[in-house]
Every structure is written in C-alpha cells, then in structure tokens.
C-alpha cells in the first residue's frame, strides 16, 4: 500500500506556479489575482478560504478576500460579483459555498463571469467540460486527476466507482475518469444515495472515489484487494483530546481499508491540498486567458 501524499504533490504544483510568477514578474507582467468571497462565519468555510488566501501569498499570487455578514442581501452580493467581473485586475473569482439559505446559489454562480470562474461551476464551463472543450475543471476533481497523473496510476480500462453525484465532486469526477485521455479511459459507475447493491458494485472497483460526506462510510468489506481509494470526504467528528474539540476524518474507514489498497489518500493531507493546488492552477490559466485542456 502506498499513500498518495496530497501535501507533497500540491507543494510540487505550487512550486511550479511560483516559478511562473517569478517569470511573469521578470517580464514586468501582472501576477495572477484571485478574489474570494466569504459570506457568514461557517467554521469549515473560514478554514478553506484562509488556506486558499494563504496559498496565494506563498506562491506570489495576489488575493483579495471580501467578507460579508450572513445577512447580506442577495442583490448586494450579486452587485459585488459584478464589480469583480468588471475589475480587469481580478483574474479569478470564487464564492465559498455553502451560502446562507436566503441566497440563491445558482444565481450567484451564474453571475460570475465564466472567464473568471476558476471553480468551474458556471453552467457554461460545466457544458464545456462535458463537451471535452478547454475550460476550468472544478478544483476537487481536477486535483484528483493531477494526483493520479503525478503517481502514474494506471486508469485505462479500469473500473472506477464514484460514490456521490454532486455537481462539485462526483459528477465531474465521473466525466473526467471516463474521458479518452490519460488519466481517464475508465469504465465508470456513478453511484449515489438511491443506488442498490452499493457494496457489490464497490467490490468490482479498481478505483473508488468516495465523495459522500459521511465518516467511515466505505468499509473494508466494500473494497477489493489492490484497489486505488481516493477519499474526498472531510467530516468533523468530536474529539475531546484535540484543542479544537474535533478532528477531521474522511468518508473511508482508513485504518481498516488502507491495508487492502494499492494506493490510498489520507484525510487530512490527501485530496484537500490538491483541491487548492488545482484552484491555483485554474487561476494561473485565467490570468493568461487560457483554459485547461484535459483531452
Ligand atoms: P454532497 O452532499 O453535495 O453530495 C453527497 C453525495 O453523496 C450525494 O450525491 C448523495 O447522493 C451521495 N450519498 C449520500 N448518501 C449516500 C449513500 N448512502 N450511498 C451512496 N451515496 C450516498 O457532498 P459533496 O459536496 O460532494 O461533498 C462530499 C464530501 O466531500 C463532503 O465530506 C465534503 O466536505 C467533501 N469535500 C471535500 C473537498 C476537498 O477538497 N477534499 C471538496 C469538496 C467536498
């Protein structure tokens, strides 16, 4: 069993991007600039946005964090997105989800200029991804593809089972893994809360991507010997021994599953850092007016 080290791969991606920034500066050109919007005080969202902003600083990107009270009106939020759309210095815009219930997330995403949509959630970019055209790939699946590529994990002809069909993880993951590309060329089964016989399906998987949001959901009896297991889940569970009162666990029962696998991602330190690396890559491409071509 080999651990897929998201911290290590993400550091390598960041080092490449830092070199690009140095080149841009030497040429007197503008450095990439990411704008992040955080609404309210959701502790997990605070952590995610802080690490995105910190990562920008580490590699020499500019970043702007716009914070709004949870009671912000939808119109005020949309107006601020429009201002960012019109601001030529801003290359990428991300709105940290989830948003408070009174705000229509779909409307917010649709308001972001698709050319600055570095999260890849705008329907125009989703459509391009489905059509196999250059676009911004949603950061988490893109980060997983970068990880598979880094470790040269064979995917061609493999059976990949994706658990979870969200727009931000499961569905785009299933599309990317089934593409005629490397990594890709998998036969993909996309499973979800209404799937019958999930255990039997998982037992046929050469690659499992778990994106459910339930601690220890994938147990050892669901995993074939030698499978590759990618754990996307980030779940907070109470832990009195920690200063924070909680610890993070994935969707996979790591201790029991890991010995059966050929490769596995830990939580934390697996997919999480790769998501940030992919977001930074998207922002770099946005600053050059390029999109990612995964074909
Ligand atoms: P979501 O709640 O939008 O989707 C969960 C999916 O799980 C749904 O499609 C649902 O059908 C499926 N599901 C629920 N119960 C199931 C069951 N019993 N059997 C099979 N499928 C079932 O979640 P999401 O936004 O895709 O996130 C999933 C997890 O990944 C969460 O823990 C989230 O925090 C984490 N996440 C991590 C990163 C990262 O960077 N590591 C990024 C995004 C999300």
């Amino acid at each position: 069993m080999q651990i897929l080290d998201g911290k290590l791969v993400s550091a390598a991606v960041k080092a490449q991007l830092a070199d690009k920034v140095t080149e841009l500066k030497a040429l007197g050109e503008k450095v990439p600039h990411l704008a992040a919007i955080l609404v309210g005080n959701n502790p997990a969202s605070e952590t995610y946005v802080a690490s995105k902003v910190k990562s920008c600083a580490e590699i020499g990107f500019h970043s702007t964090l716009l914070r709004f009270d949870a009671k912000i009106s939808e119109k005020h939020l949309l107006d601020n997105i429009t201002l960012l759309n019109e601001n030529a210095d801003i290359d990428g815009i991300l709105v940290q989800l989830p948003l408070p219930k009174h705000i229509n997330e779909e409307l917010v995403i649709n308001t972001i200029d698709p050319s600055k949509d570095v999260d890849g959630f705008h329907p125009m970019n989703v459509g391009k991804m489905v059509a196999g055209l250059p676009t911004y790939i949603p950061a988490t699946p893109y980060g997983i593809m970068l990880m598979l590529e880094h470790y040269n994990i064979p995917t061609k002809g493999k059976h990949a089972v994706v658990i979870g069909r969200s727009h931000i993880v499961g569905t785009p993951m299933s599309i990317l893994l089934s593409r005629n590309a490397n990594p890709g060329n998998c036969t993909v089964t996309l499973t979800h809360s209404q799937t019958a016989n999930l255990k039997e399906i998982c037992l046929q998987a050469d690659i499992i991507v778990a994106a459910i949001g339930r601690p220890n959901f994938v147990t050892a009896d669901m995993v074939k010997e030698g499978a590759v297991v990618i754990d996307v889940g980030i779940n907070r569970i109470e832990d009195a021994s920690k200063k924070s009162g909680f610890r993070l666990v994935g969707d996979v029962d790591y201790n029991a599953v890991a010995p059966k696998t050929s490769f596995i991602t830990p939580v934390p330190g697996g997919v999480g850092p790769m998501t940030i690396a992919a977001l930074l890559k998207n922002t770099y491409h946005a600053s050059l007016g390029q999109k990612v071509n995964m074909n």
Side-chain angles (χ1 to χ4, degrees):
M1 183 269 290
Q2 186 181 347
I3 290 175
L4 299 171
D5 187 341
K7 283 190 196 160
L8 185 126
V9 185
S10 143
V13 172
K14 284 183 183 173
Q16 282 169 3
L17 291 171
D19 287 346
K20 302 272 188 203
V21 171
T22 307
E23 284 170 24
L24 288 172
K25 282 184 174 164
L27 294 168
E29 289 180 20
K30 175 184 152 359
V31 301
H33 188 164
L34 175 71
I37 295 184
L38 177 60
V39 180
N41 304 93
N42 177 315
S45 294
E46 296 258 6
T47 312
Y48 299 147
V49 170
S51 47
K52 291 168 188 177
V53 167
K54 185 168 156 253
S55 296
C56 281
E58 279 167 15
I59 61 170
F61 283 13
H62 289 160
S63 69
T64 297
L65 172 58
L66 298 182
R67 296 195 63 133
F68 297 106
D69 189 88
K71 291 192 187 113
I72 185 177
S73 73
E74 186 178 272
K75 179 169 185 316
H76 190 46
L77 182 58
L78 297 179
D79 288 347
N80 273 281
I81 294 173
T82 303
L83 286 175
L84 295 172
N85 286 341
E86 289 165 355
N87 182 343
D89 195 55
I90 302 286
D91 301 300
I93 302 170
L94 80 87
V95 178
Q96 188 65 44
L97 302 178
L99 292 168
K101 290 213 163 43
H102 68 281
I103 295 175
N104 180 340
E105 275 186 8
E106 199 183 328
L107 189 56
V108 168
I109 289 167
N110 292 358
T111 302
I112 298 171
D113 180 337
S115 71
K116 298 189 178 189
D117 167 41
V118 287
D119 259 338
F121 297 160
H122 191 286
M124 191 181 286
N125 289 328
V126 175
K128 285 184 178 174
M129 180 190 64
V130 174
L133 298 170
T135 188
Y136 302 115
I137 308 285
T140 300
Y142 183 22
I144 293 171
M145 296 304 273
L146 293 172
M147 173 105 97
L148 293 172
E149 193 179 14
H150 179 95
Y151 282 97
N152 257 320
I153 293 180
T155 56
K156 186 173 158 185
K158 303 291 180 190
H159 182 202
V161 172
V162 178
I163 317 177
R165 59 180 158 190
S166 73
H167 293 313
I168 63 171
V169 190
T171 295
M173 195 69 238
S174 70
I175 292 166
L176 295 174
L177 285 172
S178 62
R179 279 183 168 183
N180 184 4
N182 184 28
N185 278 314
C186 290
T187 302
V188 178
T189 305
L190 178 58
T191 67
H192 45 75
S193 56
Q194 305 306 312
T195 296
N197 306 323
L198 182 64
K199 181 179 162 186
E200 287 70 21
I201 294 168
C202 286
L203 278 169
Q204 292 167 24
D206 303 305
I207 301 170
I208 294 179
V209 180
I212 310 134
R214 291 208 197 167
N216 303 324
F217 181 90
V218 177
T219 47
D221 60 342
M222 296 166 77
V223 179
K224 177 169 92 172
E225 282 293 334
V228 176
V229 174
I230 309 290
D231 190 353
V232 183
I234 302 179
N235 307 292
R236 288 181 173 214
I237 59 168
E238 277 184 33
D239 185 341
S241 71
K242 300 274 174 195
K243 208 170 128 201
S244 60
F246 69 85
R247 70 191 154 92
L248 297 180
V249 298
D251 288 346
V252 175
D253 181 3
Y254 185 88
N255 290 336
V257 168
K260 293 185 86 173
T261 64
S262 52
F263 295 93
I264 187 166
T265 60
V267 176
V271 174
M274 290 312 300
T275 296
I276 295 184
L279 171 76
L280 297 172
K281 261 180 104 84
N282 277 345
T283 306
Y284 173 69
H285 290 298
S287 76
L288 299 183
Q290 294 173 344
K291 311 247 164 83
V292 182
N293 193 346
M294 301 277 298
N295 285 309

